Amino acid sequence: MTYIKIPKGWEIPENRVTPESVYINRRKFIKDLGIVGAGAISLFSSTACAQDSRLLKQLKPFQEKTLDADKNEDFTVTRPLTDEIDAATFNNFYEFTSSKSTVWRRVEKFKTRPWEIEISGLVDKPMTIDIDDLIKQMPLEERIYRFRCVETWAMVVPWIGFPMKALLEKVQPKTEAKYVRMVTFLDRKVASQQNNTRLPWPYVEGLTLAEAMNDLTLLVVGIYGHILPPQHGAPIRLIVPWKYGFKSIKSIVSIELTDKKPRTFWNVLIPREYGFEANVNPNVPHPRWSQAREWLLPSRDRMYPTQIYNGYGEYVAHLY
Ligand code: MTE
């Protein structure tokens, strides 16, 4: 019998070598070498920041805190993995700056531990829990996901986290709960842009309860084998890979179950440009960016066709 593997939507190959094996080998290599090697190897493999000792220093304490999580083989992609340094030096985190390439420098004073997260609202068992206690209780796994920003850049990242469903099952949503509202920290002393009163701080995002319970919806606490560094939204963030990146809220302090559609940061600010649903769709242009094609970090040289639901239609198309 011939075995034919039918690729899933997000596995469509693209004309680049598959560096996932490189990443896996690198992780093994890093393990063999010990922690100090981790930063060093990442730096040497980067083009943009090859000599930057400040970046090495910034990332090192996070790379040292490795997380034990089995890889979930259902979620891999054939598109090449983004280099850790490229992902860590091109970020959106408007609490700190709107300059993507400098976020990593602006978050140096952002303390992401200790950290509490509150899960409340229309639930039978509300809780407030320290992030590390939560991590101990949850089924951590590694998933390699495609990630797509509405600004048309894309990346492929190995996230470590747990399905949001697992947390919601713990707190037991009441039958009236229809939406999940998530809120980022508010600390004007640490996050200078939160002093800009024209912006509706704190950052808020939301999902329908059905979206939050979907298998793809991940609460993320790690990346590239270790805890999240602050530029990626430490210590806990959302990842919803079939939606544009702005839905994937960072540094969450509150998850509230509600019967009202949450008013979200970007939707409040520019409703014409940012809807609540925000599913990746090549056929619906954003007023400022065609969504037909995307480019992969770090190079804008080549464009690739955008896939509906970012390739994850098999999981989520039935929701819409
Ligand atoms: N969450 C908060 N709190 N603040 C932000 O500015 N930016 C969003 C999202 N989550 C943002 C946020 C946008 S626009 C994107 S594309 C992703 O985070 C970027 O995630 P990354 O920097 O880890 O790649």
Side-chain angles (χ1 to χ4, degrees), residues 91-95 149 155 184 203 232 237 245 248 250:
N91 303 97
N92 276 328
F93 209 164
Y94 286 85
E95 283 83 346
C149 177
M155 61 182 181
T184 294
Y203 199 100
H232 283 300
R237 72 173 300 172
S248 290
K250 295 176 162 183

Side-chain angles (χ1 to χ4, degrees), residues 127-180:
M127 64 177 185
T128 299
I129 185 165
D130 173 77
I131 184 64
D132 290 313
D133 292 338
L134 180 65
I135 289 174
K136 278 184 214 134
Q137 292 178 24
M138 300 315 284
L140 288 195
E141 55 183 89
E142 181 179 76
R143 296 186 183 186
I144 297 178
Y145 275 168
R146 297 159 62 108
F147 181 94
R148 170 64 150 80
C149 177
V150 73
E151 297 158 339
T152 75
W153 56 270
M155 61 182 181
V156 176
V157 168
W159 303 107
I160 295 173
F162 53 87
M164 184 177 236
K165 185 165 63 171
L167 181 61
L168 295 180
E169 280 165 359
K170 244 182 198 307
V171 295
Q172 298 177 7
K174 293 184 189 292
T175 44
E176 312 91 89
K178 298 280 177 290
Y179 295 95
V180 178

Side-chain angles (χ1 to χ4, degrees), residues 72-135:
N72 184 335
E73 298 290 346
D74 287 345
F75 301 102
T76 53
V77 299
T78 53
R79 179 174 263 197
L81 265 193
T82 305
D83 190 274
E84 176 170 5
I85 298 301
D86 293 324
T89 51
F90 191 88
N91 303 97
N92 276 328
F93 209 164
Y94 286 85
E95 283 83 346
F96 295 91
T97 173
S98 56
S99 153
K100 291 179 224 314
S101 58
T102 64
V103 170
W104 67 272
R105 284 194 221 134
R106 308 288 175 93
V107 294
E108 282 174 334
K109 291 202 183 87
F110 178 32
K111 294 268 168 293
T112 55
R113 273 170 171 84
W115 188 278
E116 281 195 335
I117 177 164
E118 179 185 34
I119 305 106
S120 64
L122 297 171
V123 295
D124 284 336
K125 298 190 168 168
M127 64 177 185
T128 299
I129 185 165
D130 173 77
I131 184 64
D132 290 313
D133 292 338
L134 180 65
I135 289 174

